[in-house]
Amino acid sequence: MGRLLIGGLIVAIVAALLFYFYSSGYRAQIDQQTQQVSQLNDQLLKLQSENEQLKAQLSKVQNEQSILAAQNEEMRKAIAEFKATGKMPVIPPPAK
């Protein structure tokens, strides 16, 4: 009876140690994943902020492009008028 009790106690201690080591490894893995998720969220917020800045800059560039296209069209009309009449047309100053 004593041997059975000691054997059961040893098996219980070994099982407890195995469970402890398994659970500590699992907790370490969970902590690592949590840290990785946090880093990825920070990176996502940074990229979203950068995306908004790039969108604003793109909008400025597209606006400037449309202004330049309009000025280019005015210059083409002025050149055509000069070729047709031989007189310098009045060209309004470009808007800033």
Side-chain angles (χ1 to χ4, degrees):
M1 179 78 173
R3 286 184 178 180
L4 186 62
L5 192 61
I6 291 174
L9 185 61
I10 290 174
V11 169
I13 290 172
V14 170
L17 286 174
L18 289 175
F19 177 75
Y20 173 76
F21 288 126
Y22 174 77
S23 66
S24 65
Y26 184 72
R27 275 184 266 132
Q29 184 181 11
I30 293 293
D31 291 342
Q32 181 183 12
Q33 286 178 347
T34 303
Q35 182 181 10
Q36 187 178 16
V37 166
S38 176
Q39 289 173 348
L40 289 173
N41 281 334
D42 292 343
Q43 187 178 10
L44 176 64
L45 291 174
K46 180 182 173 186
L47 289 173
Q48 286 174 338
S49 173
E50 185 179 344
N51 188 28
E52 291 302 318
Q53 291 173 353
L54 290 173
K55 283 181 181 180
Q57 291 174 352
L58 177 62
S59 176
K60 289 179 185 178
V61 168
Q62 287 175 335
N63 187 31
E64 183 68 23
Q65 180 184 11
S66 65
I67 290 171
L68 290 175
Q71 289 176 353
N72 193 21
E73 187 61 31
E74 289 177 17
M75 292 296 287
R76 285 185 181 150
K77 289 179 183 178
I79 290 171
E81 185 179 334
F82 178 76
K83 285 181 180 178
T85 63
K87 295 181 183 179
M88 278 298 280
V90 178
I91 301 174
K96 294 210 176 192

